[in-house]
Amino acid sequence: MGDIETVGVVGAGVMGTGVSQALAEAGLSVVLVDLNTEILDRARREIGDGVRLRRLLAGTGGNRTAVLERISWHTDLDALAEVDFVIENVTEDWAVKQPVYERLDEVCRPDTVLAANTSVIAITALGGLTRRPQAVLGMHFMNPVPLRPMVEVIRGHHTSDETVARGRSLLERLGKEAVVVADSPGFVSNRVLMLTINEAAFLLQERVADAAEIDRLFRGCFGHRMGPLETADLIGLDTIVQSIEGLHEAFADSKYRPCPLLRRMVQAGLHGRKSGAGFYSYAGAGDRPAPAERRG
């Protein structure tokens, strides 16, 4: 296996655009694939905006034009035939992921690593969909990807040391630290985080405190930069519910029962920042959350 120079990114949603931006800013060539040109056009705009925002907030990042020129935009997985590494970011739904991995295994070179940017789905199960389980691992990026310095790397049952080393090498090139953990649904970060968010939603539903009070306690008492409900809005409440449901299914444990308020908010289209409202309202407030109507 040679050096990684071209990375395929599957999925141009919030995580896929962030991963693509980080890769291109690090000087790598990116092949970004999603279902249609409308999604890709939106991703192009969001990546351009993301480069400007990173320079504004962190004083770092690449030139917008140069970053976008390193990315090619495609609607067919066949475009990944010659990439060195793939990072998959499709929705947290086994029925969606299964055909993607089966197709990637057919299209990609035998030496290409397949990395799942998943919140909860077991890496061993994804590797079992391919003829290269030793070359499948998890790379759980956090949002916003370009600004987060650490990535949770998950070793599946068959993941080889060489595959882990290649994942580490890629992350080092992005300026990110890798923490390698064993395979388990939710891994470390989401086994803890999803329970915290779910319980915070129950507190809101039960009117123990409002969203601002819950988050203020976590910031003031524990020194967290964001409270659990602010974090949920950033991740996306639809993703939160999918992750909690995945943990509930995997462990058959009632402690992972999704809060009915979370389900209701997702059904109402209140997905957080990306929809303009969740536990907070973001309409006209930029990145600053404003109080929303009381949920419950």
Side-chain angles (χ1 to χ4, degrees):
M1 297 184 179
D3 293 337
I4 298 170
E5 295 298 335
T6 303
V7 179
V9 177
V10 182
V14 172
M15 296 306 295
T17 55
V19 168
S20 297
Q21 178 186 330
L23 291 165
E25 285 184 333
L28 292 150
S29 296
V30 179
V31 180
L32 179 57
V33 181
D34 210 309
L35 294 174
N36 58 58
T37 55
E38 181 180 352
I39 295 173
L40 293 171
D41 287 343
R42 184 178 67 241
R44 185 183 286 106
R45 293 192 298 272
E46 291 177 353
I47 291 171
D49 292 343
V51 173
R52 284 195 294 263
L53 183 62
R54 186 179 182 194
R55 293 188 68 85
L56 178 66
L57 295 179
T60 60
N63 173 274
R64 179 180 181 275
T65 300
V67 167
L68 292 174
E69 285 179 348
R70 293 190 189 105
I71 303 172
S72 60
W73 318 82
H74 303 269
T75 58
D76 194 322
L77 291 174
D78 287 345
L80 303 174
E82 295 302 322
V83 302
D84 304 310
F85 201 102
V86 171
I87 302 175
E88 170 272 312
N89 311 269
V90 304
T91 187
E92 292 289 292
D93 185 331
W94 179 261
V96 176
K97 287 189 183 288
Q98 180 175 350
V100 170
Y101 277 84
E102 291 170 348
R103 183 64 180 146
L104 288 173
D105 194 41
E106 293 176 357
V107 167
C108 296
R109 300 193 319 251
D111 64 333
T112 299
V113 170
L114 307 181
N117 183 13
T118 177
S119 300
V120 68
I121 294 176
I123 303 307
T124 301
L126 293 173
L129 297 172
T130 75
R131 295 163 294 181
R132 64 181 84 195
Q134 76 285 350
V136 178
L137 80 164
M139 294 178 77
H140 184 200
F141 289 85
M142 308 298 166
N143 186 36
V145 175
L147 299 178
R148 296 291 183 249
M150 186 174 288
V151 176
E152 187 177 33
V153 174
I154 304 97
R155 181 195 290 268
H157 182 80
H158 295 290
T159 306
S160 69
D161 290 343
E162 184 176 10
T163 295
V164 172
R166 283 172 66 77
R168 283 185 180 275
S169 176
L170 177 60
L171 291 173
E172 286 175 6
R173 189 158 175 184
L174 302 186
K176 299 186 185 300
E177 181 182 355
V179 176
V180 181
V181 303
D183 193 18
S184 175
F187 323 121
V188 172
S189 59
N190 276 356
R191 282 276 295 275
V192 176
L193 177 63
M194 294 303 155
L195 279 175
T196 303
I197 291 172
N198 201 43
E199 198 62 29
F202 272 115
L203 288 167
L204 180 61
Q205 177 178 283
E206 296 162 12
R207 299 182 179 268
V208 175
D210 65 26
E213 290 163 345
I214 292 168
D215 286 335
R216 184 181 176 192
L217 282 165
F218 274 80
R219 292 195 305 271
C221 293
F222 304 113
H224 293 188
R225 293 180 62 184
M226 298 177 70
L229 300 180
E230 293 172 301
T231 301
D233 273 359
L234 178 63
I235 294 170
L237 302 194
D238 52 340
T239 300
I240 298 294
V241 169
Q242 285 179 321
S243 297
I244 297 171
E245 288 175 338
L247 289 168
H248 189 235
E249 180 180 354
F251 292 107
D253 190 325
S254 62
K255 72 181 179 182
Y256 297 110
R257 177 175 65 92
C259 176
L261 174 60
L262 279 172
R263 289 188 189 275
R264 189 162 66 248
M265 290 176 70
V266 171
Q267 291 166 354
L270 302 172
H271 293 178
R273 286 179 182 262
K274 62 187 176 184
S275 69
F279 291 108
Y280 300 89
S281 173
Y282 301 89
D287 282 331
R288 295 167 304 172
E293 61 180 281
R294 187 171 184 123
R295 310 294 182 198

